[in-house]
Amino acid sequence: MANFQAFIIVLVAAAAAAPAPVQQPPDTDRPVLAEFARRVNAYVEVKSAAATTVLPLVQLRDPAEIRRRTDALAAVIKSARWAAKQGDIFTPEIGYALRRAIRQGCEGDYAAQLALVREEVVGPLPALAVHARWPADVPLPLMLPGVLAALPPLPAGLQYRFMDRALVLLDIDANLIVDFLPDAIPVITTERHDAH
């Protein structure tokens, strides 16, 4: 009996530690997400071309040298994408699909994701802008496993992050905001107001 209970405890612990299963998007989102992948890959091509013109981001110990190389890569990317604006990658259609994926990943509990996003934030957040750098004093927030599993996968070097309620596409090598989706986490109304 004791062995059986120990076996059950191990099974429950393993299930709790297992990553969230990758969720499949609805069939209606497949063409939209294919367009998202095309736009992301176009950015990766620009970044790859930019990376050939600067010193590589290899394992370095000097923070100042890391910053110089990151800044150089960001400058070349910004120059190549001089006309980039919010919505170039997160188009309205793509934004709709991503918001639906976030809702699915949160299982309706947006407050839990928002709590993770705001956990270590101190002071006001800067305004989001394409080609802005991720602020050094703003921690990179965690995501609920279900949210990360519900969002489409990204190539190496790109990550999803939240800055307050906005979903950010972040180039971690250049520390550059590639695009952002405002109100990806909707405003949560906690009070009910009667109509009369």
Side-chain angles (χ1 to χ4, degrees), residues 157-175:
L158 294 177
Q159 292 182 353
Y160 297 110
R161 294 294 178 171
F162 283 106
M163 188 177 286
D164 199 38
R165 297 180 187 281
L167 180 68
V168 174
L169 181 60
L170 182 67
D171 183 328
I172 56 172
D173 298 323
N175 187 31

Side-chain angles (χ1 to χ4, degrees), residues 91-142:
T91 66
E93 296 80 13
I94 290 167
Y96 182 78
L98 295 180
R99 285 185 182 100
R100 182 166 44 230
I102 292 165
R103 182 178 66 237
Q104 179 185 7
C106 285
E107 297 179 355
D109 188 5
Y110 291 114
Q113 179 59 66
L114 204 52
L116 279 176
V117 170
R118 294 177 172 170
E119 190 172 40
E120 296 179 34
V121 173
V122 178
L125 293 169
L128 278 169
V130 170
H131 290 164
R133 311 301 289 282
W134 190 273
D137 58 344
V138 175
L140 291 171
L142 299 174

Side-chain angles (χ1 to χ4, degrees), residues 43 46 74-86 88 130-131 176 178:
Y43 171 80
V46 169
V76 176
I77 292 171
K78 287 195 275 188
S79 177
R81 299 180 75 229
W82 62 270
K85 60 190 181 309
Q86 190 277 322
D88 283 350
V130 170
H131 290 164
L176 201 63
V178 178

Side-chain angles (χ1 to χ4, degrees), residues 47-61:
K47 175 185 176 177
S48 296
T52 64
T53 67
V54 296
L55 291 172
L57 292 168
V58 293
Q59 291 183 346
L60 299 166
R61 295 183 188 269

